[in-house]
Structures are given as C-alpha cells and as structure tokens.
Amino acid sequence: MKCLLRVTVLSLCLTTILCSSLPHNKNPTVRGCDLRFQLTNIQTSGEPSHRLTFNDKRIKVSKIIYDDLSPVSDDWIRTKKNGKFGFIDLDEKEVMDFEFSFIGDFHEGYVVFREGDDRKDPRGFLNKNGDLLGGKYYDMTYNFQNGVAGVEINKKYGLIDRNGKIVVPIQYDFITGFFNGWAVFKREEHQGLINAKGQEKKFIHEKYDLRGYFYEGTIVFKHYQKMGIMDSNFNVIIPPIYEYLGNFKEGLVRFEQGKKWGFLDQNGKVVIEAKFDSEYDFSEGFASVTIGDKVGIINRNGEYLVEPKFSHISSFHEGLAVVEDGGKRGFIATNAEWVIPPLFEKLDQFKDGVFTFVIKDKWGFVNLRGCKNK
C-alpha cells in the first residue's frame, strides 16, 4: 500500500496502522485499560517536543524529556543526567542522586554499582537507602537471583545472600546463578552442582564439560565440540551431537545442527525441525525465529503466529511483544494484532505494568498499573 502522510496527529496514527502488514485492534486493551491514544507535537521557541495522551485517564504518561531510561525495576527507573546515572520513581521524583558512572537496575532490593569511572574500579551493592551491602566492595558483582548474588575477588567466585553474608565461599573458578535450588560450579579439577548452603554435588568426567545454568532440572554439557544435556544426577538425556544447545524453557530447548536451528523436547525428540537461521527461547508459549534477516514468531507446534518479515521482534512478556515495522516499534498481543502501533524509535518490553519508549531521541514511560484491578 502506498502511504500518503499528512502532518496531523490523526493522520500520523492512521498512516502507521494502514501501512502495517499486521491487523490493528480498533479497541485495544491491556490490563483493562483502553489503549487508544494521541501523539501531539508541541512547538515552542526551542526544539519541538511531543506529548503522548491516552483516552483512558488511568494510564499515566511521563514527560518525554529523558536522555536514557531503563525498564522499571523494583518500582524505580534508572535514568541519566549530565552524563551520570541515578533513579526516578513512577511519579518522576528523583529518588537516588545522579552520581554514578555505572549502575545497574534493582534486583531483589539491591543494585550493582561501580565506585569510580574506571571499569576496573571496585563494585558493590546498594539498597534504596544508598547503603553499601555488608560495607564491602568486590572486583566484580552480579545481580541477585533467588536470594543470592555472585561476587568475584582475585578471579575467584562465590555467593552472598541479601544480608551480605558469604553463603558459598569465594574459591570457585566459575559459578552460575541459582535456579531450582542449585548452581553449576567449577573448582580446580572438580565441577558439578552446589546449593545455597555450600553443599556440593560433584560430577567427575574427564571429557564432559558442564556449561550454563541448572534450569528446569537439566544441565548443558560439552563433549569435544558437541553439546548435550544431562539431568540433576548427571545422567545423559540428550546425547552430545549438537553444535549448540540452550537451556530448557517451557519444556523445549533450542538446538543448532548444520547451521540451522530447531527445538527438542525433554526426551530429546525433534519437535520443531531445524530450518531457522536463528531463534530465541520460548516465552509465554511463543518464540521469535529468523529466516535470512527477517524475524517472525512461532508457537509450540512450529506454526507461524507472525511470518518472518520484520526486522525485530522481542519475546512475549506480560502478553505483549515488541515488533519493529518500517523502522518504528510498537506492541502486538498474542493474537498478532497491534495494540500499540509502531510509532516509537525505541521501545522496551512491557514489565510490571510499565514500558519505556523513545520519540525523537527523547525517552518517556507509560504506567498502566492503575488498570491492574479493573
């Protein structure tokens, strides 16, 4: 379809919808909120700005003025001012000073930060009061997952809890995050699983090298240049015949063979043949797949929800996926209909009822939490 763009608010929205190859829901709702909106230009004596307004007054939209915004984490959003990072809350109040050259997002009440501008400077964990966890710094720190976080000192790894107590000694050559109560570790000639009490379940095999996380009761391992999967007792359930294997997600695991990608079930049976040039893990019943340089979405039967013809599609999160169409991004629902058409230059995943976006190089965010119980 040939698009005739007119410079008005209404034609901007309609043109984007009509030019798309996906259907548009005329009455889109998420969490009971009406997602119909207007995007308006505000011309002042300086640079023009934009305002995003939803018909549903329960939806809160920030000012579109920020140089950078992260997805919401523990109700705060990391942003940037004068080259430094700090945090605002969902009312756009500054809640942590803009003094950090590097700081992550909050996970389980703590955020990883670096003391200083140099990448080699020590790192630690801060809570929302700005207190340094345990009063200690480390060479490297990793986000909290399931109550513990990885730390590194002198190229050795261990785990601490949310009180700053060392629960797994800092003596390992490698250790992952905890899932299903266990982490994969390597120490000198040993490898295996370790729990949060520091109890090891050792695995001895000269030719099998454990890889990745303990996830959905399984561990990926490497044998020479091929990969397989074993269970928590180190019994092989998928032989090492694949060039690459991910971790099981929603009962399926992606594999690479002959430079093509497909999916296996927990018995090692091919349930989606290897015909894709790349793919991502299943999330909420769907997976993004690529053929050539175009991305689509499949369901667990390998059927297309969206055929591969887009430049970018994210995984579904809270029922929405980011899709890029014509250089702009919007949200689709699991019926492959636009609920917010592609108008944004950048768009982060819908997380905890909030999403961040970019219009004309400036960031803003939308908060749908007021609709949660409607």
Side-chain angles (χ1 to χ4, degrees):
M1 177 182 292
K2 194 171 183 178
C3 295
L4 299 175
L5 180 61
R6 300 177 62 189
V7 187
T8 66
V9 173
L10 181 60
S11 65
L12 174 63
C13 296
L14 288 178
T15 300
T16 304
I17 294 166
L18 292 173
C19 288
S20 173
S21 57
L22 292 177
H24 175 69
N25 188 328
K26 294 181 180 179
N27 297 293
T29 60
V30 170
R31 292 190 168 205
C33 266
D34 181 351
L35 290 187
R36 290 176 296 172
F37 67 91
Q38 287 186 327
L39 178 63
T40 56
N41 294 322
I42 304 171
Q43 187 67 49
T44 63
S45 57
E47 291 292 324
S49 59
H50 298 81
R51 177 179 296 161
L52 184 63
T53 307
F54 286 83
N55 293 355
D56 195 325
K57 301 306 179 186
R58 295 173 297 172
I59 301 177
K60 305 300 181 184
V61 184
S62 75
K63 298 170 185 157
I64 309 174
I65 59 173
Y66 298 99
D67 294 331
D68 181 87
L69 289 177
S70 69
V72 65
S73 60
D74 288 3
D75 296 335
W76 285 10
I77 297 176
R78 175 170 44 88
T79 186
K80 193 175 186 180
K81 181 193 292 185
N82 299 324
K84 297 288 187 178
F85 292 97
F87 285 87
I88 60 173
D89 65 15
L90 295 179
D91 294 321
E92 299 188 77
K93 178 183 176 183
E94 294 183 8
V95 289
M96 184 172 280
D97 292 339
F98 289 77
E99 60 182 12
F100 301 97
S101 297
F102 170 83
I103 193 165
D105 294 323
F106 276 90
H107 291 266
E108 302 184 11
Y110 287 93
V111 61
V112 170
F113 81 104
R114 185 176 66 217
E115 183 73 16
D117 296 335
D118 194 295
R119 291 184 178 183
K120 295 181 180 180
D121 285 335
R123 303 184 181 209
F125 299 91
L126 293 178
N127 64 17
K128 287 189 172 183
N129 294 322
D131 301 323
L132 178 65
L133 179 60
K136 295 180 180 179
Y137 290 97
Y138 305 91
D139 295 338
M140 185 62 71
T141 48
Y142 301 89
N143 290 325
F144 273 94
Q145 294 176 318
N146 301 306
V148 296
V151 295
E152 177 190 352
I153 296 177
N154 295 327
K155 298 183 179 180
K156 294 294 182 180
Y157 299 85
L159 296 170
I160 63 172
D161 65 17
R162 282 180 287 186
N163 295 314
K165 178 183 176 182
I166 295 175
V167 293
V168 172
I170 304 173
Q171 63 182 13
Y172 292 87
D173 299 316
F174 171 83
I175 195 165
T176 68
F178 268 87
F179 293 96
N180 308 121
W182 295 91
V184 176
F185 79 86
K186 294 180 182 180
R187 178 169 58 87
E188 298 172 346
E189 74 277 13
H190 302 299
Q191 58 181 336
L193 296 173
I194 187 168
N195 63 23
K197 296 180 180 180
Q199 297 168 330
E200 295 181 357
K201 186 188 291 187
K202 294 180 182 178
F203 172 63
I204 300 174
H205 196 293
E206 293 181 357
K207 296 181 181 179
Y208 285 178
D209 181 23
L210 301 185
R211 296 293 180 99
Y213 297 94
F214 178 69
Y215 213 84
E216 294 193 11
T218 62
I219 318 162
V220 177
F221 69 95
K222 194 166 188 178
H223 177 57
Y224 295 110
Q225 298 302 313
K226 299 293 184 179
M227 300 181 79
I229 293 179
M230 59 181 65
D231 64 19
S232 59
N233 293 316
F234 309 119
N235 298 313
V236 174
I237 56 177
I238 296 177
I241 60 175
Y242 297 99
E243 293 157 24
Y244 181 86
L245 284 168
N247 288 106
F248 274 100
K249 299 289 179 67
E250 300 186 359
L252 298 178
V253 61
R254 56 195 178 99
F255 73 91
E256 181 186 13
Q257 195 169 48
K259 296 185 178 180
K260 294 292 182 180
W261 293 79
F263 288 90
L264 306 170
D265 66 14
Q266 290 178 323
N267 296 315
K269 178 183 176 182
V270 176
V271 293
I272 298 175
E273 64 177 295
K275 61 180 180 180
F276 305 109
D277 293 313
S278 67
E279 63 193 16
Y280 294 89
D281 294 321
F282 271 87
S283 174
E284 300 183 7
F286 297 95
S288 299
V289 295
T290 301
I291 293 182
D293 61 352
K294 299 299 181 182
V295 189
I297 303 173
I298 60 171
N299 63 19
R300 292 173 59 87
N301 296 320
E303 302 163 335
Y304 284 119
L305 174 72
V306 175
E307 293 188 3
K309 50 189 172 185
F310 295 95
S311 55
H312 170 83
I313 300 179
S314 76
S315 299
F316 275 100
H317 197 269
E318 297 185 27
L320 300 179
V322 178
V323 177
E324 182 172 316
D325 191 7
K328 301 288 186 180
R329 297 187 177 193
F331 283 120
I332 65 167
T334 53
N335 61 1
E337 291 183 347
W338 293 108
V339 293
I340 294 183
L343 296 175
F344 305 106
E345 296 158 28
K346 295 180 182 178
L347 183 62
D348 283 328
Q349 69 178 16
F350 186 56
K351 180 185 176 186
D352 298 334
V354 178
F355 67 87
T356 58
F357 64 87
V358 172
I359 294 176
K360 296 296 182 182
D361 298 323
K362 290 296 180 181
W363 286 84
F365 67 88
V366 175
N367 179 3
L368 277 70
R369 291 186 180 183
C371 310
K372 184 175 182 180
N373 298 319
K374 302 296 182 179

